[in-house]
Amino acid sequence: MARIRVSVLGPARLEVDGVPARLTPLTTRLLVRLVAADGEPVPVRRLHRDVWALDGELPHAAQRHRNEVQKRVLELRRALDPAQRGDGARVLRTEQLLAGPTPETAYRLVLAPDELDCAEFTDLVDSALLAAPASAADRLAAALALVRGRPLAEAGEEDFARPLVRRLTALYETARRQLIRSRMDLGRHDLALPVAERMARERPDDQDVAELLGALRARLRERHGRELLRQSFPGGGDLVVVRGDLFDQEDANLVVGFTDTFDTATEQDLVISRESVQGQLVERLFGGERKQLDDRIQAGLRAVRPLRTERVQDKPRGRRVRYPLGTTVPLTVAGRRVFAVAYSRLGNDLVARSGPADLRASLDTLWPAVARYGMYRPVAIPLIGSGLARIVELDRTRLLLMIVESFAEHCRRDPATAPELRVVIRPADLERTDLSALGTYLRTARLPGSRTGPGPGPGANADVGAGTGNKDTGAGAGDSGGAYGRR
């Protein structure tokens, strides 16, 4: 069976097995007229009147009508079935209508949704209106990509085309508005803005569109006030570096570093510090209910084979079951994900230790989990490895570069990792993070398909930020990224 594709969301065209068919203007109008019938049969007399745009009939013209219509029907069937496999008769059917004393010949166009662009467009939009934001945004973008111009363009303002044109035009406007809202729900205000700007240009008197555009611009101004750098990655994802607090990134999934035992106990700061990211995760996202976090982590770890279990006499405090570094547990919290990733080993002396190779391996394992479970939302990560369980061999600048390099490498292999990687740096850490080194890396790495696009925040250019990049020393129990207290 031939692969047929009829497109009427713009100038009409017909493709068979990927090859464009060449149709005469009258046959093209016949195709458009049959599409406008929306699957209903159209009598020969009406086809002739509409396709040839005749206002009246001459006496004894019925036979001429039939001959002219049959000639165009034959041409269209041949175009639909160049290999003569029977697709022409399957798609363009002849029927007999009993509308009077004698049967009347009619023609019906029968196409599957994937054979007709306006049917596919309708299905995508209808399903998107009931979908979650990430799925909705994907389907709406796919639907709008099908639109090349005015629907049924060859029909002009003909009466027969108005119902379908009106329905498709209304659905097009709905799709654009819903795409804007879905992208806003995903935190992708930058992707929603061009859609809103185009709508505002086309509908200057639409107050709702004007208000939506104003809200988008205000949200982007607010976000850019925290941005230090923005860089596009291959596949459409962005790297964004912001100053702030990890837990204030309410529109994003979060990455929280753990030890290989996934400890969460903060009593007396013996096992995990209350100032660590894990400690604040309990307080700020679980309301201090540590058991809720523990239960979810343990549920996620059931599918992971442990490395070993420590003896009580060797490790009297904390959890004793050890898991491989890089183990990532996606936790659902208030409609978003928290990716708990093990990157350091908690010694029996309750001191967390990790090295550059451990961190890089853990990051390389993290990104596939983000791609699989991230719901295509931005993912925010602190300078993992810079806090109480710091990696002494790497200063904050080199930690930042390792995070970005690992993410960039994964984007080369799987561009669908996340729409945005947001590295969150505490204001207190900025003076020890040399963002100009990251700017140099992004400028010289020649990332495939990338384009530099820094935000308007301070230092947002190829040589951004300032800092000494001094190496940190020392180690201690607790998560990476330092203490993210409320500002």
Side-chain angles (χ1 to χ4, degrees), residues 329-342:
V329 181
L331 310 171
T332 301
V333 185
R336 59 177 171 168
R337 305 283 195 213
V338 174
F339 293 95
V341 56

Side-chain angles (χ1 to χ4, degrees), residues 295-433:
D295 289 346
R296 295 191 191 184
I297 289 177
Q298 295 307 310
L301 289 172
R302 289 188 190 125
V304 181
R305 176 179 294 180
L307 288 177
R308 67 178 184 276
T309 302
E310 299 289 352
R311 300 184 304 171
V312 176
Q313 55 267 41
D314 293 333
K315 190 174 185 291
R317 294 183 180 274
R319 298 189 180 279
R320 301 180 182 88
V321 180
R322 297 191 179 278
Y323 294 90
L325 293 186
T327 298
T328 302
V329 181
L331 310 171
T332 301
V333 185
R336 59 177 171 168
R337 305 283 195 213
V338 174
F339 293 95
V341 56
Y343 82 98
S344 64
R345 298 176 180 85
L346 184 62
N348 293 345
D349 57 359
L350 302 185
V351 175
R353 299 175 177 87
S354 186
D358 296 330
L359 176 59
R360 180 58 191 254
S362 298
L363 289 169
D364 291 345
T365 305
L366 167 68
W367 306 129
V370 169
R372 182 174 183 182
Y373 300 107
M375 305 178 292
Y376 206 65
R377 296 182 66 165
V379 58
I381 185 171
L383 284 181
I384 192 169
S386 68
L388 298 175
R390 65 175 54 94
I391 298 173
V392 298
E393 296 94 335
L394 300 178
D395 59 24
R396 284 166 171 77
T397 300
R398 283 183 283 179
L399 287 172
L400 174 61
L401 287 171
M402 181 175 286
I403 292 169
V404 173
E405 288 171 355
S406 174
F407 184 77
E409 283 296 323
H410 185 76
C411 282
R412 288 188 178 96
R413 297 188 299 271
D414 181 9
T417 298
E420 177 180 300
L421 172 66
R422 189 179 306 168
V423 183
V424 185
I425 303 177
R426 297 181 307 160
D429 286 336
L430 275 177
E431 66 181 33
R432 290 180 287 178
T433 307

Side-chain angles (χ1 to χ4, degrees), residues 73-128:
V73 167
L74 180 60
E75 180 186 339
L76 183 54
R77 279 180 172 158
R78 285 173 176 168
L80 289 164
D81 191 15
Q84 298 184 5
R85 291 176 289 198
D87 292 298
R90 171 184 68 84
V91 172
L92 181 50
R93 301 178 184 177
T94 304
E95 299 186 2
Q96 298 296 319
L97 298 181
L98 300 176
T102 58
E104 185 175 8
T105 300
Y107 295 98
R108 183 201 302 265
L109 192 66
V110 181
L111 294 167
D114 62 341
E115 295 178 320
L116 179 61
D117 66 344
C118 62
E120 182 183 0
F121 174 81
T122 300
D123 285 353
L124 283 168
V125 177
D126 287 346
S127 65

